[in-house]
Amino acid sequence: MGPAIRTFGLTKRFGRRTALADLDLEVPEGVIFGYLGPNGAGKTTTIRLLAGLLRPTRGHATVLGRDVVRDRQAAQQQIGYLPGEFVAYPDLTVEAYLRYFAHLHGDADLSWAARLAERLDLDMSRRIGALSHGNRQKVGIVRAFLTRPRVLILDEPTAGLDPLVQREFLALLRETRDAGNTVFLSSHVLSEVEAVADQVGILRQGRLVEVRSVTDLKARALRQIQLTFEDEVPVERIRAAAGVRDVRVDGQRVQLVVEGSTAELLAVAAPYRVTEIATREPDLEEIFLSYYGQG
């Protein structure tokens, strides 16, 4: 089984500005891949290239082995796409719009669309032009899922959704992944990426700076730890333990930061009668900011 998405030196320039530079990326089948970066980092450019809506300046990309330029139609048949700015025909009802879209894709199953709409609390009888921004976003989500695609490419999919619908949407992503399909998810809501993603790619100024599992990123990140000792505090031994930095002592309490594994620190502290250990795991937002020299 090959990768669901693969890029080779994928580059896009707009005049003198380079929006994406030499992107080499492999996204396996059956995962949720979180694609992170601030505005202007190149996330939407990447997504439009993968969806076949832009032609690369250099390099190429494949979806399930099909080149998104040379074999554009076959690649697009495998993709469910939600753009960052979803627009639909305002004079159509939701049902009429989805029926039209289903017909374009070989009469896709509208009963599946109805089940999705029910889960997302979307009234299919309403005219799209009369819907709120959040409800129009639901239409875009149902359209992306309508053909049960093997690859979903979603650009900021939860924009405008209320928390209950966001939770249902994330459950839908997990179900999609568990069925063996692939989700390429660009989002600025790092907590939701952390909740569902198997792997994360971090983009900075058009260049990919990291690709790792969320678990691995957390394992390598900084942890804040507080140790309380009953008697002697082995300060120098703690300072010398692997990964330890920023050690502060307050009486019998030691506050410190550890990068990576805490195994050596705990082995050093154990013989000295530790009465309390408090630790705070880093979240994805802190890890993300560390790649941008902040926090």
Side-chain angles (χ1 to χ4, degrees):
M1 184 170 62
I5 294 171
R6 193 171 188 181
T7 71
F8 307 83
L10 194 64
T11 299
K12 182 62 181 177
R13 295 192 185 95
F14 296 97
R16 294 183 178 182
R17 184 176 71 87
T18 300
L20 189 69
D22 300 315
L23 179 67
D24 293 320
L25 177 65
E26 284 193 14
V27 179
E29 288 193 61
V31 303
I32 299 174
F33 186 88
Y35 199 51
L36 306 178
N39 291 337
K43 303 189 304 299
T44 294
T45 298
T46 304
I47 283 174
R48 289 176 176 168
L49 288 166
L50 294 177
L53 302 178
L54 288 176
R55 296 180 69 92
T57 305
R58 186 177 68 244
H60 64 282
T62 61
V63 174
L64 296 173
R66 295 166 175 84
D67 190 283
V68 300
V69 174
R70 293 195 302 269
D71 203 4
R72 180 171 175 263
Q73 184 175 356
Q76 287 182 332
Q77 287 176 347
Q78 305 295 325
I79 293 171
Y81 169 59
L82 177 65
E85 303 260 344
F86 172 71
V87 177
Y89 300 113
D91 292 332
L92 293 180
T93 65
V94 174
E95 181 178 4
Y97 172 74
L98 293 174
R99 189 179 299 279
Y100 168 72
F101 190 79
H103 178 69
L104 290 179
H105 289 263
D107 293 319
D109 184 7
L110 272 180
S111 65
W112 168 236
R115 293 199 297 274
L116 291 171
E118 184 177 4
R119 289 183 65 171
L120 299 175
D121 193 25
L122 173 64
D123 184 350
M124 291 180 63
S125 68
R126 296 281 305 279
R127 190 172 61 85
I128 291 174
L131 296 177
S132 67
H133 171 68
N135 280 314
R136 288 196 302 272
Q137 189 74 355
K138 295 175 189 178
V139 178
I141 291 170
V142 174
R143 192 191 76 172
F145 279 83
L146 179 61
T147 60
R148 300 178 189 264
R150 291 177 60 190
V151 177
L152 276 161
I153 299 177
L154 309 174
D155 194 357
E156 303 289 354
T158 61
L161 300 183
D162 67 56
L164 289 177
V165 176
Q166 286 181 24
R167 186 170 63 182
E168 189 64 32
F169 171 73
L170 295 181
L172 186 58
L173 291 189
R174 294 186 188 98
E175 292 166 18
T176 300
R177 184 263 319 276
D178 294 345
N181 300 313
T182 304
V183 179
F184 189 90
L185 172 66
S186 169
S187 177
H188 70 281
V189 184
L190 298 183
S191 59
E192 71 183 20
V193 175
E194 184 174 2
V196 297
D198 303 293
Q199 296 182 350
V200 171
I202 297 176
L203 203 63
R204 178 172 183 169
Q205 296 177 346
R207 293 186 179 274
L208 191 66
V209 296
E210 189 70 275
V211 176
R212 290 191 180 272
S213 71
V214 174
T215 302
D216 192 19
L217 275 176
K218 286 187 168 185
R220 299 176 64 221
L222 303 179
R223 291 172 174 79
Q224 297 180 16
I225 296 178
Q226 181 176 286
L227 301 173
T228 303
F229 293 85
E230 185 174 298
D231 298 307
E232 180 185 357
V233 179
V235 178
E236 295 309 316
R237 295 199 63 190
I238 287 173
R239 290 186 194 278
V244 171
R245 61 175 71 173
D246 193 21
V247 178
R248 288 173 287 172
V249 181
D250 180 13
Q252 305 307 115
R253 183 178 296 128
V254 180
Q255 293 181 326
L256 52 92
V257 173
V258 178
E259 181 178 7
S261 173
T262 60
E264 185 172 333
L265 168 67
L266 297 177
V268 165
Y272 291 87
R273 299 180 65 85
V274 177
T275 60
E276 184 180 354
I277 299 177
T279 180
R280 191 175 72 80
E281 295 293 316
D283 61 23
L284 192 57
E285 183 170 5
E286 291 172 309
I287 296 168
F288 174 77
L289 290 175
S290 74
Y291 281 90
Y292 284 84
Q294 303 173 43

